[in-house]
């Protein structure tokens, strides 16, 4: 019996993009359904009654919610190719730690960049650049956070790159100047097919 | 070569308790360093420079931070006994989802109950908190534990907050047992388990006294 895989998503959501990339990396055929977040479908409300948010992965009728949990699920079920997490427990814990860091820092601070003004915005800019610099340090000399291939942290982080034009315009910052290594990493990621075909254009 | 396992924690932290329960479930010998992270603690800053928080598990010199990351690490390294996560990927996803729910919701909601003053704001906080416990009761269903017949990730993520219930009840003027009897029944079952009760959960009253003292110092009454 063939697998039935559906993704409930919203095109601009970085969290949805994570799941799209993971599905593409594994070559999983799936149906993509765009949700109108102001008018959520009955299926979304039924499949994610707790948070009522996208993305929701539905595999043979069973729902998996929360983007990083869905990515780990995809990695565990379709485990014969393109591993997204390392096999060593310590390396896995580090990947989970940094994906969690992205969740805790990048989304919230990035959002503050374009929703706050004045002193608060300046503080957000400083915090944002510091977070990127810390990630640059963690990346070190590696091509990707996952090493030679994209991994869990790359998948968690790269979607926010599509929001950089927004952050830069509204936040009045130049990320390339402050964090060139980060931008270099992001550009390498955009060369990876599963990423480039899962992410919308920055201008949009 | 024997494993060297050290846990940096603070007795009152529910996040630290998660790591301690997991280590006890697996029967892992470890050194517990109990210190208030607000005090001068250079070793903590060295081991967790990013968040500067406890708990930190140090295994043969290598640090692992964030309580749920630590619990999954413990489960993977000492995988020959007492599995904390199910083996089926879908069940694992569900366990992670509910542990994440506890992380996102319970601590903040509980804090609102004892940090807000009496009145509308506190009533709203109380309702939100009780609604969450009821959702968890529904998720538990007829199972003995969230993990089924044995403790699992969600039980470990959640039970430490039980040590804060006296605090929530006294400050919030709540009676959790009346509102959520199934939840309290589950908590009492967990407290019968050696790895949970054996020196892992401080007396609820100790927690209450500590919080009451801290709030007084901050100017709350």
């Amino acid at each position: 019996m063939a697998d039935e895989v559906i993704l409930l998503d919203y095109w601009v959501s970085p969290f949805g993009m994570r799941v799209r990339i993971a599905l593409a990396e594994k070559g999983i055929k799936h149906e993509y359904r765009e949700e109108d977040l102001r008018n959520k479908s009955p299926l979304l409300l039924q499949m994610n009654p707790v948070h009522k948010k996208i993305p929701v992965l539905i595999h043979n009728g069973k729902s998996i919610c929360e983007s990083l949990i869905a990515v780990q699920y995809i990695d565990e079920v379709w485990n014969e190719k393109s591993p997204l997490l390392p096999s060593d427990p310590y390396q896995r814990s580090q990947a989970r730690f940094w994906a969690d860091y992205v969740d805790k820092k990048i989304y919230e601070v990035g959002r503050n960049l374009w929703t706050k003004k004045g002193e608060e915005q300046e503080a957000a800019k400083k915090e944002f650049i510091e977070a990127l610099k810390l990630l640059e340090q963690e990346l070190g000399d590696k091509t990707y956070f996952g090493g030679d291939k994209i991994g869990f942290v790359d998948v968690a982080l790269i979607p926010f790159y599509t929001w950089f034009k927004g952050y830069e315009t509204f936040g009045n910052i130049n990320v390339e100047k402050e964090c060139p290594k980060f931008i270099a990493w992001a550009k390498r990621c955009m060369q990876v097919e599963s990423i480039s075909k899962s992410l919308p254009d920055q201008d949009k | 070569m024997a494993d060297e396992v050290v846990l940096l924690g603070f007795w009152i932290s529910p996040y630290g308790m998660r790591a301690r329960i997991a280590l006890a479930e697996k029967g892992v010998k470890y050194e517990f360093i109990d210190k208030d992270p607000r005090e001068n603690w250079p070793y903590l800053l060295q081991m967790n420079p990013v968040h500067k928080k406890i708990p930190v598990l140090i295994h043969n010199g290598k640090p692992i931070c964030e309580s749920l990351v630590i619990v999954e690490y413990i489960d993977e390294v000492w995988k020959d006994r007492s599995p904390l996560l199910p083996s089926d990927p879908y069940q694992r996803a569900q366990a992670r989802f509910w542990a994440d729910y506890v992380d996102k919701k319970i601590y903040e909601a509980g804090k609102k109950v004892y940090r807000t003053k009496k009145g509308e704001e506190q009533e709203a906080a109380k309702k939100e908190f009780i609604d969450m416990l009821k959702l968890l009761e529904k998720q538990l269903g007829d199972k003995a534990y969230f993990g089924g017949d044995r403790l699992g990730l969600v039980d470990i993520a959640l039970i430490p907050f039980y040590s804060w219930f006296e605090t929530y009840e006294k400050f919030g003027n709540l009676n959790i047992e009346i509102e959520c009897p199934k939840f309290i029944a589950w908590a009492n079952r967990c407290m019968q388990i050696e790895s949970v009760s054996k020196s892992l959960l401080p007396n609820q009253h100790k927690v209450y006294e500590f919080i009451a003292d801290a709030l007084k110092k901050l100017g709350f009454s």
Side-chain angles (χ1 to χ4, degrees), chain A residues 66 76 90 92 96 104, chain B residues 63 66 76 92 96 104:
Chain A
E66 294 304 300
E76 289 176 11
Y90 185 73
R92 289 161 76 80
R96 287 181 176 130
K104 285 186 161 88
Chain B
E66 292 303 300
E76 290 177 8
R92 289 160 76 82
R96 286 178 179 137
K104 285 189 162 84

Side-chain angles (χ1 to χ4, degrees), chain A residues 130-177:
Chain A
E130 274 171 9
L132 296 188
K133 287 196 159 136
L134 190 59
L135 287 162
E136 280 185 324
Q137 211 185 68
E138 174 57 23
L139 179 66
D141 293 324
K142 302 196 295 288
T143 310
Y144 307 103
F145 287 90
D148 296 325
K149 298 182 49 103
I150 60 166
F152 195 53
V153 182
D154 303 277
V155 174
L157 182 55
I158 192 60
F160 294 97
Y161 183 58
T162 56
W163 287 41
F164 270 28
K165 234 192 179 130
Y167 296 151
E168 290 188 327
T169 309
F170 287 99
N172 193 28
I173 50 171
N174 187 326
V175 180
E176 183 142 25
K177 232 164 92 183

